Amino acid sequence: MAAQGDYGASKQKAGGDLYQEALVALSSLTMKRDKGEQFEFVLDYLKILDLEEDIATLKVIHVTGTKGKGSTCTFTESILRNYGFRTGLLTSPHLIDVRERFRLDGVDISEEKFAAYFWWCYDRLKRCRISFYVLCFFLQVDVAILEVGLGGRIDFTNVVKKPVVCGFSSLGYDHMEILGDSLAKIAGEKAGIFKLGVPAFTVPQLNEAMCVLEEKASALDVNLKVVQPLNKKLLGGQKLGLDGEHQYLNAGLAVSLAYTWLQQSGNLEIPSLNQMTTLPEPFIKGLATAHLQGRAQVIPDPYIEHAAPGNLVFYLDGAHTPESIEACVKWFSLAVKENGQSESLESFVREHSHACEERKLERCTGETCHRILLFNCMSVRDPHLIFSHLRNASSKYGVDFKKAFFVPNMSMSHTVALLEKNDDSSVDLSWQYKLQEVWESLVGEEEENGGEKSEVISSLPLAIKWLRDIVVDQNSSSTRFQVLVTGSLQLVGDVLKLVTK
């Protein structure tokens, strides 16, 4: 492989220009999701780039799954970074900036480094759609934690032939048009990351999926172990950095992955996990400080905080499968309650003191709290299935949405530059009206004070403006609006972009 100083040598423009041009080029080459037509050329591309030996030397933790794999990777990286190792973390998708996908030592890579590696690969492969440039970021780290983008068997991260350890977060139904129409078929695709003799861990799975994983593991002499949710007592009184009860399952998997990597690398001399009453300090600190945008994230709207503190709060979670929607609603029900809301808001203040002055945050006790649903999802989803799970979970956990808004995403799904759509009458809202129709068929045509319970709004900025206007127009500060944004990580990213810019 070329020396690091040679990357991007053919480009003579300023770093910022190179980065913007890289985004445009990458958007035009974004890999089409297929059933393996691209992956068959992977080894040829590796040879062209002369990356075979470099990738073979990477010490990789490889993680797949349907729900929780990004959180698992984030926890794992944070643990190992707190042990003093140089870490590389690959997650997807990004919410605002494509560089979010690539963290070196816990920090998004710089524009300059992104542009240099991207153009180094692009100039050699030209119009190749395989994203090898992402692996270049991690060639000089101690450990690379790679989240599978789609499936496992044909995902480009599967060019790694000998990871140190593999992990499986919860498996469910998603991307069935590519991975298969049954849980067994999906599990079979995910099991493609198993490697001969490489240890692997999985969270508990439904029997249909577990049988496939066990069969595939046995065929490759893989020691597959099932891990349980992390016992809270092991944290020594600390809380996980990622909110939600479901995160203890991901944290349990992360602990096993990090522990095994440390053992396999000869860097750990501590008792077995089963013998511990509390985890070692780097584990606890890593789990407590892990951060991943768009997953159980709470943001008071900075725009109106000075005038109406806490009266408009966004609860962001990119859940988009039936199971993850249920976990999202459970988290939301806890977060909006007295203690959950106060703790979440105080946490936001600590992390964003520039947006909100540090002060005593009032609790929602004795005040009117309106829960609003702000929703969109991909048209390949089944809205009947998604909304059935959302409504059942809402009933179970006591969440009553005063109003539901259905909006199109602001950014273009096929780009990495988050190009915005025009807010005009030409926007196709047919999918949003379909979502509204399904929603209303489940909740009934209820009306309250003469107002409709759901509404399609032509753009996300207009929806945010509506919420801000109604909060500002309130004569009394005793009414608070708690907005659950879910159904799509892309929607969550768009809200983050609007609210925090």
Side-chain angles (χ1 to χ4, degrees), residues 72-131:
T72 297
C73 289
T74 300
F75 280 133
T76 306
E77 183 277 335
S78 187
I79 292 170
L80 295 175
R81 176 161 39 86
N82 276 278
Y83 263 100
F85 295 104
R86 288 211 64 197
T87 60
L89 172 65
L90 171 68
T91 58
S92 62
H94 63 279
L95 300 185
I96 298 176
D97 191 314
V98 67
R99 295 178 298 115
E100 297 167 24
R101 296 175 179 235
F102 322 109
R103 293 189 198 176
L104 291 174
D105 299 325
V107 179
D108 297 349
I109 65 167
S110 66
E111 292 184 0
E112 292 75 15
K113 186 179 288 290
F114 180 96
Y117 281 109
F118 173 81
W119 288 116
W120 183 87
C121 287
Y122 182 89
D123 288 343
R124 286 155 180 77
L125 297 177
K126 299 305 179 185
R127 298 194 59 80
C128 166
R129 294 175 180 265
I130 301 293
S131 303

Coordinates of all heavy atoms in Angstrom, one line a residue, residues 72-131:
T72 N -23.9 -1.8 20.5 CA -22.9 -2.8 21.0 C -21.5 -2.3 20.6 O -20.6 -2.4 21.4 CB -23.2 -4.1 20.4 OG1 -24.5 -4.6 20.9 CG2 -22.2 -5.2 20.8
C73 N -21.3 -1.9 19.3 CA -20.0 -1.5 18.8 C -19.5 -0.3 19.6 O -18.3 -0.2 19.9 CB -20.1 -1.2 17.3 SG -20.2 -2.7 16.3
T74 N -20.4 0.6 19.8 CA -20.1 1.9 20.5 C -19.6 1.6 21.9 O -18.6 2.1 22.4 CB -21.3 2.8 20.5 OG1 -21.7 3.2 19.2 CG2 -20.9 4.1 21.3
F75 N -20.3 0.7 22.6 CA -19.9 0.3 24.0 C -18.5 -0.3 24.0 O -17.7 -0.1 24.8 CB -20.9 -0.7 24.6 CG -22.2 0.0 25.2 CD1 -23.4 -0.6 24.8 CD2 -22.1 1.0 26.0 CE1 -24.6 0.0 25.4 CE2 -23.3 1.6 26.6 CZ -24.5 1.1 26.2
T76 N -18.4 -1.3 23.0 CA -17.1 -2.0 22.9 C -15.9 -1.1 22.7 O -14.9 -1.2 23.3 CB -17.2 -3.1 21.8 OG1 -18.4 -3.9 22.0 CG2 -16.0 -3.9 21.8
E77 N -16.1 -0.2 21.7 CA -15.0 0.8 21.4 C -14.7 1.6 22.6 O -13.5 1.8 22.9 CB -15.4 1.7 20.3 CG -14.4 2.6 19.8 CD -14.3 3.9 20.6 OE1 -15.3 4.3 21.2 OE2 -13.2 4.5 20.7
S78 N -15.7 2.1 23.3 CA -15.4 3.0 24.5 C -14.7 2.2 25.6 O -13.8 2.8 26.3 CB -16.8 3.5 25.0 OG -16.6 4.5 26.0
I79 N -15.0 0.9 25.8 CA -14.3 0.1 26.8 C -12.8 0.0 26.5 O -11.9 0.3 27.3 CB -14.9 -1.3 26.9 CG1 -16.3 -1.2 27.5 CG2 -14.0 -2.2 27.8 CD1 -17.1 -2.5 27.4
L80 N -12.5 -0.4 25.2 CA -11.1 -0.6 24.8 C -10.3 0.7 24.8 O -9.1 0.7 25.1 CB -11.1 -1.3 23.5 CG -11.7 -2.8 23.6 CD1 -11.7 -3.4 22.2 CD2 -10.9 -3.6 24.5
R81 N -11.0 1.8 24.4 CA -10.3 3.1 24.4 C -9.9 3.5 25.8 O -8.9 4.1 26.0 CB -11.2 4.1 23.8 CG -10.7 5.6 23.8 CD -11.3 6.4 22.8 NE -12.8 6.2 22.7 CZ -13.7 6.8 23.5 NH1 -13.3 7.6 24.4 NH2 -15.0 6.5 23.3
N82 N -10.8 3.2 26.8 CA -10.5 3.5 28.2 C -9.4 2.6 28.7 O -8.9 2.9 29.8 CB -11.8 3.4 29.0 CG -12.5 4.7 29.0 OD1 -12.2 5.7 29.7 ND2 -13.6 4.7 28.1
Y83 N -9.0 1.5 28.0 CA -7.9 0.7 28.4 C -6.6 1.3 27.8 O -5.5 0.8 28.0 CB -8.1 -0.7 27.9 CG -8.6 -1.6 29.0 CD1 -9.9 -2.0 29.1 CD2 -7.7 -2.1 30.0 CE1 -10.4 -2.8 30.1 CE2 -8.2 -3.0 31.0 CZ -9.5 -3.3 31.1 OH -10.0 -4.1 32.1
G84 N -6.7 2.3 27.0 CA -5.6 3.0 26.4 C -5.2 2.6 25.0 O -4.2 3.0 24.5
F85 N -6.0 1.8 24.4 CA -5.8 1.3 23.0 C -6.2 2.3 22.0 O -7.2 3.0 22.2 CB -6.4 0.0 22.7 CG -5.9 -1.2 23.6 CD1 -6.6 -1.7 24.7 CD2 -4.6 -1.7 23.3 CE1 -6.1 -2.7 25.4 CE2 -4.1 -2.8 24.1 CZ -4.9 -3.2 25.1
R86 N -5.5 2.4 20.9 CA -6.0 3.2 19.7 C -7.1 2.4 19.1 O -7.0 1.3 18.7 CB -4.9 3.4 18.7 CG -3.8 4.4 19.2 CD -3.2 5.1 18.0 NE -4.2 5.9 17.3 CZ -4.1 6.4 16.1 NH1 -3.1 6.1 15.3 NH2 -5.1 7.2 15.6
T87 N -8.3 3.1 18.9 CA -9.5 2.4 18.4 C -9.9 3.0 17.1 O -9.8 4.2 16.9 CB -10.6 2.5 19.5 OG1 -10.9 3.9 19.7 CG2 -10.2 1.8 20.8
G88 N -10.5 2.2 16.3 CA -11.2 2.6 15.1 C -12.6 2.0 15.2 O -12.8 0.8 15.5
L89 N -13.6 2.8 14.9 CA -15.0 2.4 15.0 C -15.8 2.7 13.8 O -15.8 3.9 13.3 CB -15.7 3.1 16.2 CG -17.2 2.9 16.4 CD1 -17.6 1.4 16.6 CD2 -17.8 3.7 17.5
L90 N -16.4 1.7 13.2 CA -17.2 1.9 12.0 C -18.7 1.6 12.4 O -19.0 0.5 12.8 CB -16.8 1.0 10.9 CG -17.7 0.9 9.6 CD1 -17.7 2.2 8.9 CD2 -17.3 -0.2 8.7
T91 N -19.6 2.6 12.2 CA -21.0 2.4 12.4 C -21.8 3.0 11.2 O -21.2 3.8 10.5 CB -21.5 3.0 13.7 OG1 -21.2 4.4 13.7 CG2 -20.8 2.4 14.9
S92 N -23.0 2.7 11.1 CA -23.8 3.3 10.1 C -25.3 3.2 10.5 O -25.7 2.4 11.3 CB -23.6 2.6 8.7 OG -24.0 1.2 8.8
P93 N -26.2 4.1 9.9 CA -25.8 5.2 9.0 C -25.4 6.4 9.8 O -25.4 6.4 11.0 CB -27.1 5.4 8.3 CG -28.2 5.2 9.3 CD -27.6 4.0 10.1
H94 N -24.9 7.4 9.1 CA -24.7 8.7 9.8 C -26.0 9.5 9.8 O -26.9 9.2 9.1 CB -23.6 9.5 9.0 CG -24.0 9.9 7.6 ND1 -23.9 9.0 6.5 CD2 -24.5 11.0 7.1 CE1 -24.3 9.6 5.5 NE2 -24.7 10.9 5.8
L95 N -26.0 10.5 10.7 CA -27.2 11.2 10.9 C -27.1 12.6 10.3 O -28.1 13.1 9.7 CB -27.6 11.4 12.4 CG -27.8 10.0 13.1 CD1 -28.3 10.3 14.5 CD2 -28.9 9.2 12.4
I96 N -26.0 13.2 10.4 CA -25.8 14.6 9.9 C -24.6 14.7 9.0 O -24.7 15.2 7.9 CB -25.6 15.6 11.1 CG1 -26.8 15.7 12.0 CG2 -25.3 17.0 10.5 CD1 -26.7 16.5 13.2
D97 N -23.5 14.1 9.4 CA -22.2 14.2 8.6 C -21.7 12.8 8.4 O -21.6 12.0 9.3 CB -21.2 15.0 9.3 CG -20.0 15.4 8.5 OD1 -19.4 14.5 7.8 OD2 -19.6 16.6 8.5
V98 N -21.3 12.4 7.2 CA -20.8 11.1 6.9 C -19.6 10.7 7.7 O -19.4 9.5 8.0 CB -20.4 11.0 5.4 CG1 -19.2 11.8 5.0 CG2 -20.2 9.5 5.0
R99 N -18.9 11.7 8.2 CA -17.7 11.4 9.1 C -18.1 10.8 10.4 O -17.2 10.2 11.1 CB -16.9 12.6 9.3 CG -16.2 13.2 8.0 CD -15.4 14.4 8.2 NE -16.3 15.5 8.7 CZ -16.1 16.1 9.9 NH1 -15.2 15.7 10.7 NH2 -16.9 17.1 10.2
E100 N -19.4 10.8 10.8 CA -19.8 10.2 12.0 C -19.6 8.7 12.0 O -19.5 8.0 13.0 CB -21.3 10.5 12.2 CG -21.7 11.9 12.4 CD -23.2 12.1 12.3 OE1 -23.9 11.1 12.5 OE2 -23.6 13.2 12.0
R101 N -19.6 8.2 10.8 CA -19.4 6.7 10.6 C -18.1 6.2 11.0 O -17.9 5.0 11.3 CB -19.7 6.3 9.1 CG -21.1 6.6 8.6 CD -21.2 6.3 7.1 NE -22.5 6.5 6.6 CZ -23.2 5.6 6.0 NH1 -22.7 4.4 5.8 NH2 -24.4 5.9 5.5
F102 N -17.1 7.1 11.0 CA -15.7 6.7 11.3 C -15.1 7.4 12.4 O -14.8 8.6 12.3 CB -14.9 6.9 10.0 CG -15.6 6.7 8.7 CD1 -16.0 7.7 7.9 CD2 -15.9 5.4 8.4 CE1 -16.7 7.4 6.7 CE2 -16.6 5.1 7.2 CZ -17.0 6.1 6.4
R103 N -14.9 6.7 13.5 CA -14.3 7.4 14.7 C -12.9 6.8 14.9 O -12.7 5.6 14.9 CB -15.1 7.1 16.0 CG -16.5 7.8 16.0 CD -17.1 7.7 17.4 NE -18.5 8.0 17.3 CZ -19.3 7.8 18.4 NH1 -18.8 7.4 19.6 NH2 -20.6 8.1 18.3
L104 N -11.9 7.7 15.1 CA -10.6 7.3 15.6 C -10.4 7.8 17.0 O -10.5 9.0 17.2 CB -9.5 7.9 14.6 CG -9.5 7.3 13.2 CD1 -8.5 8.1 12.4 CD2 -9.1 5.8 13.2
D105 N -10.2 6.8 17.9 CA -10.0 7.2 19.3 C -11.2 8.0 19.8 O -11.1 8.9 20.6 CB -8.7 8.0 19.5 CG -7.5 7.1 19.2 OD1 -7.5 5.9 19.4 OD2 -6.5 7.7 18.6
G106 N -12.4 7.6 19.4 CA -13.6 8.2 19.9 C -14.0 9.5 19.2 O -15.0 10.1 19.6
V107 N -13.3 9.9 18.2 CA -13.6 11.2 17.6 C -13.8 11.0 16.1 O -13.1 10.2 15.4 CB -12.4 12.2 17.8 CG1 -12.7 13.5 17.1 CG2 -12.1 12.4 19.3
D108 N -14.8 11.7 15.5 CA -15.0 11.6 14.1 C -13.8 12.0 13.4 O -13.1 13.0 13.7 CB -16.2 12.5 13.7 CG -17.5 12.2 14.3 OD1 -17.6 11.1 14.9 OD2 -18.5 13.0 14.2
I109 N -13.5 11.3 12.3 CA -12.3 11.6 11.5 C -12.4 13.0 10.9 O -13.5 13.6 10.7 CB -12.0 10.6 10.4 CG1 -13.1 10.7 9.4 CG2 -11.8 9.2 11.0 CD1 -12.8 9.9 8.1
S110 N -11.3 13.7 10.7 CA -11.3 15.0 10.1 C -11.7 15.0 8.6 O -11.6 14.0 8.0 CB -9.9 15.6 10.3 OG -8.9 14.9 9.4
E111 N -12.1 16.2 8.2 CA -12.4 16.3 6.7 C -11.2 16.0 5.9 O -11.3 15.4 4.8 CB -12.9 17.7 6.5 CG -14.3 18.0 7.1 CD -14.8 19.4 6.7 OE1 -14.1 20.1 5.9 OE2 -15.9 19.8 7.1
E112 N -10.0 16.5 6.4 CA -8.8 16.3 5.6 C -8.4 14.8 5.4 O -8.1 14.3 4.4 CB -7.6 17.0 6.2 CG -7.7 18.5 6.2 CD -8.7 19.1 7.2 OE1 -9.1 18.3 8.1 OE2 -9.1 20.3 7.0
K113 N -8.5 14.0 6.5 CA -8.2 12.6 6.5 C -9.3 11.9 5.6 O -8.9 11.0 4.9 CB -8.2 12.0 7.9 CG -7.7 10.6 8.0 CD -7.6 10.1 9.4 CE -6.5 10.7 10.2 NZ -5.2 10.2 9.7
F114 N -10.5 12.2 5.8 CA -11.5 11.6 5.0 C -11.3 11.8 3.5 O -11.3 10.8 2.7 CB -12.9 12.2 5.3 CG -14.0 11.6 4.5 CD1 -14.8 10.5 5.1 CD2 -14.3 12.0 3.2 CE1 -15.8 9.9 4.3 CE2 -15.4 11.4 2.5 CZ -16.1 10.4 3.0
A115 N -11.0 13.0 3.1 CA -10.7 13.3 1.7 C -9.5 12.6 1.2 O -9.5 12.1 0.1 CB -10.6 14.8 1.5
A116 N -8.4 12.6 2.0 CA -7.2 11.9 1.6 C -7.4 10.5 1.3 O -7.0 9.9 0.2 CB -6.1 12.1 2.6
Y117 N -8.0 9.7 2.2 CA -8.2 8.3 2.0 C -9.2 8.0 0.9 O -9.1 7.1 0.1 CB -8.7 7.7 3.3 CG -7.6 7.4 4.3 CD1 -7.5 8.2 5.5 CD2 -6.6 6.4 4.1 CE1 -6.4 8.0 6.4 CE2 -5.6 6.2 5.0 CZ -5.5 7.0 6.1 OH -4.5 6.7 7.0
F118 N -10.3 8.8 0.8 CA -11.3 8.6 -0.2 C -10.7 8.7 -1.6 O -10.9 7.9 -2.4 CB -12.5 9.6 0.0 CG -13.4 9.5 -1.2 CD1 -14.4 8.5 -1.2 CD2 -13.4 10.4 -2.3 CE1 -15.3 8.4 -2.3 CE2 -14.3 10.3 -3.3 CZ -15.2 9.3 -3.3
W119 N -10.0 9.8 -1.8 CA -9.4 10.1 -3.2 C -8.3 9.1 -3.5 O -8.1 8.7 -4.7 CB -8.9 11.5 -3.3 CG -10.1 12.5 -3.4 CD1 -10.3 13.5 -2.5 CD2 -11.1 12.6 -4.4 NE1 -11.5 14.2 -2.9 CE2 -11.9 13.6 -4.0 CE3 -11.3 11.8 -5.5 CZ2 -13.0 14.0 -4.8 CZ3 -12.4 12.2 -6.3 CH2 -13.3 13.3 -6.0
W120 N -7.6 8.6 -2.5 CA -6.6 7.6 -2.7 C -7.2 6.3 -3.3 O -6.7 5.8 -4.3 CB -5.8 7.3 -1.4 CG -4.7 6.3 -1.6 CD1 -3.4 6.6 -2.0 CD2 -4.8 4.9 -1.5 NE1 -2.7 5.4 -2.1 CE2 -3.5 4.3 -1.8 CE3 -5.8 4.0 -1.1 CZ2 -3.2 3.0 -1.7 CZ3 -5.5 2.6 -1.1 CH2 -4.2 2.1 -1.4
C121 N -8.3 5.9 -2.8 CA -9.0 4.8 -3.3 C -9.7 5.1 -4.6 O -9.7 4.3 -5.5 CB -10.1 4.3 -2.3 SG -9.4 3.5 -0.8
Y122 N -10.4 6.2 -4.7 CA -11.2 6.5 -5.8 C -10.3 6.6 -7.1 O -10.7 6.1 -8.2 CB -11.9 7.9 -5.6 CG -12.8 8.3 -6.7 CD1 -14.1 8.0 -6.8 CD2 -12.3 9.2 -7.7 CE1 -14.9 8.4 -7.8 CE2 -13.1 9.6 -8.8 CZ -14.4 9.2 -8.8 OH -15.2 9.6 -9.8
D123 N -9.1 7.2 -6.9 CA -8.2 7.4 -8.1 C -7.8 6.0 -8.6 O -7.4 5.9 -9.8 CB -7.0 8.2 -7.7 CG -7.4 9.7 -7.5 OD1 -8.5 10.1 -8.0 OD2 -6.6 10.4 -6.9
R124 N -7.8 5.0 -7.8 CA -7.3 3.7 -8.2 C -8.5 2.8 -8.7 O -8.3 1.9 -9.6 CB -6.6 3.0 -7.1 CG -5.2 3.6 -6.9 CD -4.6 3.4 -5.5 NE -3.3 4.0 -5.4 CZ -3.1 5.3 -5.3 NH1 -4.1 6.2 -5.2 NH2 -1.9 5.8 -5.2
L125 N -9.7 3.0 -8.2 CA -10.8 2.2 -8.5 C -11.8 2.9 -9.4 O -12.7 2.3 -10.0 CB -11.5 1.7 -7.3 CG -10.7 0.8 -6.3 CD1 -11.5 0.5 -5.1 CD2 -10.3 -0.4 -7.0
K126 N -11.6 4.2 -9.6 CA -12.5 5.0 -10.4 C -14.0 4.8 -9.9 O -14.3 5.2 -8.9 CB -12.3 4.7 -11.9 CG -10.9 5.0 -12.3 CD -10.5 6.5 -12.0 CE -9.1 6.8 -12.5 NZ -8.7 8.1 -12.1
R127 N -14.8 4.2 -10.7 CA -16.2 4.2 -10.4 C -16.6 3.0 -9.7 O -17.8 2.6 -9.7 CB -17.0 4.3 -11.7 CG -16.8 5.6 -12.5 CD -17.8 5.8 -13.5 NE -19.2 5.8 -13.0 CZ -19.7 6.9 -12.4 NH1 -19.0 8.0 -12.3 NH2 -20.9 6.9 -11.9
C128 N -15.7 2.3 -9.0 CA -16.1 1.2 -8.1 C -17.0 1.7 -7.0 O -16.8 2.7 -6.4 CB -14.8 0.6 -7.5 SG -15.2 -0.5 -6.2
R129 N -18.0 0.8 -6.7 CA -19.0 1.2 -5.7 C -18.6 0.7 -4.3 O -19.2 1.0 -3.3 CB -20.4 0.7 -6.1 CG -21.0 1.4 -7.3 CD -22.3 0.7 -7.7 NE -22.9 1.3 -8.9 CZ -23.8 2.3 -8.8 NH1 -24.2 2.8 -7.7 NH2 -24.3 2.8 -9.9
I130 N -17.7 -0.2 -4.2 CA -17.3 -0.8 -2.9 C -16.6 0.2 -2.1 O -15.6 0.9 -2.6 CB -16.5 -2.1 -3.1 CG1 -17.2 -3.1 -3.9 CG2 -16.1 -2.6 -1.8 CD1 -18.4 -3.7 -3.2
S131 N -17.0 0.3 -0.8 CA -16.4 1.4 0.0 C -15.2 1.0 0.8 O -15.1 1.0 2.0 CB -17.5 1.9 1.0 OG -18.7 2.3 0.3

